[in-house]
Amino acid sequence: MDKDKEIMIEEEVTAIPISEEIGNEEPVEAEESAEKEMSDAQALKEAIHEQAREDEQPLSSNFTLRKILGGDILTARLIRHQIWLIVLIVFFVIIYISNRYSIQKDLLEIDRLNTQLKDAKYKALSSSSMLTEKCRESHVLEMLKNNKDSILKMPSQPPFIIEVPEEE
């Protein structure tokens, strides 16, 4: 594309008409004006060539807010040379975000399991207290009295110890 522009500019430069009138003093002035037009065309050619270049000119050392917001900083040679660093940083950011979501999910699961554990402890404690209540001697005796078909009764005599002699 740059070559096409150069050819067009060269054609324009060569197509500049030079008035040649024989016998007048104007050919000298015509040559001077032709040279002036040639230098103007050459300056135009250089300006177009500089604007049409694909590689960028070195970026000035001062970054203005307008350059940053306008996106000029993204076309800078510095950014293009550091593309792998930018890709690495983006990769680490993605890992950081996914790790954070994973940790939040795990924390929610831990909270849910802690709630279930508390509920299970309360149920175990209440079951244990109910069992202790039902196993008390007074409660067992009351149940036996209320239940008439049972032949179990409280002994009226204290228990005695039977001693068995050991054989030698």
Side-chain angles (χ1 to χ4, degrees):
M1 178 137 191
D2 290 335
K3 290 184 180 183
D4 292 338
K5 288 181 182 178
E6 288 178 19
I7 292 171
M8 286 177 38
I9 293 171
E10 287 176 9
E11 288 175 0
E12 289 175 8
V13 170
T14 57
I16 296 174
I18 302 175
S19 63
E20 297 180 18
E21 296 181 14
I22 301 173
N24 289 341
E25 295 178 7
E26 289 184 12
V28 175
E29 291 176 6
E31 286 179 14
E32 289 175 3
S33 66
E35 286 179 13
K36 184 178 178 184
E37 288 181 14
M38 289 280 276
S39 65
D40 289 344
Q42 187 68 21
L44 179 64
K45 179 181 174 182
E46 288 176 8
I48 291 174
H49 181 67
E50 280 188 29
Q51 289 180 354
R53 282 191 350 195
E54 288 186 21
D55 61 329
E56 296 176 359
Q57 295 184 4
L59 200 59
S60 62
S61 62
N62 57 354
F63 290 109
T64 62
L65 183 62
R66 183 175 185 171
K67 285 183 180 180
I68 293 171
L69 293 178
D72 294 340
I73 192 169
L74 296 176
T75 61
R77 184 178 295 157
L78 175 72
I79 300 297
R80 275 196 262 140
H81 286 159
Q82 301 298 331
I83 191 70
W84 291 112
L85 177 64
I86 294 169
V87 168
L88 183 67
I89 290 171
V90 168
F91 177 72
F92 282 139
V93 166
I94 290 170
I95 288 177
Y96 175 76
I97 291 170
S98 66
N99 189 26
R100 183 175 173 142
Y101 283 133
S102 173
I103 295 299
Q104 283 180 343
K105 189 176 96 178
D106 290 344
L107 287 174
L108 289 173
E109 181 71 16
I110 287 171
D111 287 342
R112 186 183 62 79
L113 291 175
N114 279 337
T115 305
Q116 284 182 352
L117 179 63
K118 282 182 183 179
D119 290 344
K121 282 182 180 181
Y122 290 143
K123 285 180 183 177
L125 184 61
S126 65
S127 297
S128 174
S129 65
M130 288 173 69
L131 180 64
T132 304
E133 174 77 27
K134 289 185 178 184
C135 290
R136 282 195 184 146
E137 185 179 345
S138 61
H139 194 280
V140 171
L141 287 175
E142 187 177 315
M143 282 178 51
L144 286 175
K145 281 184 188 179
N146 291 339
N147 205 356
K148 303 257 183 203
D149 61 345
S150 176
I151 56 171
L152 294 176
K153 295 185 181 176
M154 243 352 241
S156 57
Q157 297 177 359
F160 57 94
I161 299 174
I162 301 175
E163 292 183 26
V164 179
E166 292 184 27
E167 294 181 32
E168 289 182 35

